[in-house]
Amino acid sequence: MRSDTGPLTRVLAGAIATTVLLGGCESLDDPERTLPRTDLVNDLAGRLEAAAGLAYSAEYALPGGGRGTISQTPGPRRAAYRYPGGMTMVGADALARCVTSGPRPTCTLDPPPGPTEPPPATALAAASRAGLVTPPVVISLLTATALDQDAVVEQRDTTVAGRHGSCVAVRQLANAATAAFKACVTSDGVLGSFTGVLDGRPRETALSSYRAGVDGGAFDLPAGAEVRDRRPGGR
């Protein structure tokens, strides 16, 4: 393996405490108890889902020196994903998809998903293509793992951006967006890292910083954007 001391590699480097092949594995909370494979991946998916109740801003290191951010608030429930070349924002009033790589930013507004529905996969595809793999994408992969009896799962603990994380490495996964991936989730449910192949291309996302709370402009559309409103009554 080649030596790589770039920012993404440094972010991913952590103090790995355990690696256990499941079957049975150490509980995420109780080292004296074991969790079956299904319970383990469901626990991590549940952490990510529960984190929708947190207000936070997280910055991620992406391949090639890129940078992505995730900002969200629970009330009103909103999430903004910013990545090289674009932005996706999911709010109570609209699902916004913006392209910022041209001479003038352009945004398309569609009706939002229901309050308990995840964003459609197509809405998050641009983020994934830019290297920012989002929590809803990881939740769907963890759910597929729980349903796949042939999937092989390994667990480890690590530290990402100074925060404890529980990680899984999954392989032989069928009927999902990827056949193998690695994902880490922090104790409070924030996505710590993801490595895998999506849409035929390798993707790598690693948490570099986290803070509670969100800046006032986190959910603003790019300045000067041309907006196409496809919501009922929109123009």
Side-chain angles (χ1 to χ4, degrees), residues 1-6 9:
M1 182 179 296
R2 69 180 180 87
S3 175
D4 187 346
T5 58
T9 301

Side-chain angles (χ1 to χ4, degrees), residues 35-74:
L35 280 179
R37 172 186 57 82
T38 299
D39 288 350
L40 172 67
V41 292
N42 280 339
D43 182 274
L44 292 185
R47 287 189 190 186
L48 288 169
E49 290 176 335
L54 301 176
Y56 71 83
S57 300
E59 183 172 321
Y60 290 86
L62 309 180
R67 171 180 170 272
T69 61
I70 296 176
S71 304
Q72 67 171 47
T73 60

Side-chain angles (χ1 to χ4, degrees), residues 4 31 39 75 93 115 161 167 188 211 229 233:
D4 187 346
D39 288 350
D93 299 324
C167 309
D188 43 10
R211 69 177 180 84
D229 195 341

Side-chain angles (χ1 to χ4, degrees), residues 18 40-41 51 96 109 113 122 178 190 226 229:
T18 59
L40 172 67
V41 292
L109 306 185
T122 53
T178 184
V190 176
E226 178 182 350
D229 195 341

Side-chain angles (χ1 to χ4, degrees), residues 196-224:
V197 176
L198 295 174
D199 301 320
R201 296 184 60 185
R203 313 292 182 192
E204 194 170 3
T205 299
L207 181 68
S208 56
S209 67
Y210 169 91
R211 69 177 180 84
V214 176
D215 293 334
F219 304 103
D220 293 345
L221 298 182

